[in-house]
Amino acid sequence: MCERLYSTLRRFLPPPDIIIKLTAPYSILAERMAKRQRDLDIEKSEDLLELEKLIEEWLTTVTSIPIIHIDASGDDPSFDAIIKDLVRDVKNKLKIK
């Protein structure tokens, strides 16, 4: 299903200028999912490891798009602590002054 969606989107949308990949340990992600207490989740916490594997495999094929990796394991939903560095990194990767 993910591959079909990706293929369809690629046909209609241009490639992104940049990819920002948020990462956090499985234990933190599973804990966050449990806290959300959603009636309907499209994935289970057990799916996170497989999803991470698929994303990593896909990113190895991405060669022409800059990728920024962000550690999202901190308890900072607004990312206030890293936003300044993120903006700087995006500007650098995209060669924006």
Side-chain angles (χ1 to χ4, degrees):
M1 182 172 103
C2 289
E3 289 179 22
R4 276 195 322 234
L5 175 61
Y6 176 77
S7 295
T8 301
L9 291 174
R10 290 285 23 104
R11 281 194 303 252
F12 296 107
L13 299 173
D17 294 325
I18 196 165
I19 295 172
I20 299 174
K21 182 178 184 276
L22 305 176
T23 59
Y26 170 79
S27 59
I28 291 175
L29 297 176
E31 179 183 322
R32 289 176 181 168
M33 284 183 72
K35 284 181 182 178
R36 292 190 307 199
Q37 298 179 339
R38 291 186 178 166
D39 291 333
L40 176 64
D41 248 326
I42 61 170
E43 78 282 338
K44 300 179 186 87
S45 61
E46 299 82 29
D47 297 333
L48 294 173
L49 295 173
E50 183 64 23
L51 183 59
E52 175 66 15
K53 179 182 165 196
L54 291 171
I55 290 170
E56 286 300 322
E57 288 175 6
W58 171 68
L59 287 177
T60 63
T61 68
V62 176
T63 58
S64 61
I65 301 169
I67 302 171
I68 295 176
H69 297 267
I70 295 178
D71 178 4
S73 60
D75 191 13
D76 182 15
S78 65
F79 293 100
D80 285 336
I82 65 163
I83 199 73
K84 184 177 178 181
D85 291 337
L86 175 60
V87 169
R88 182 201 64 226
D89 291 347
V90 168
K91 286 181 175 181
N92 287 340
K93 295 276 186 182
L94 297 178
K95 297 175 177 50
I96 299 172
K97 293 184 180 196

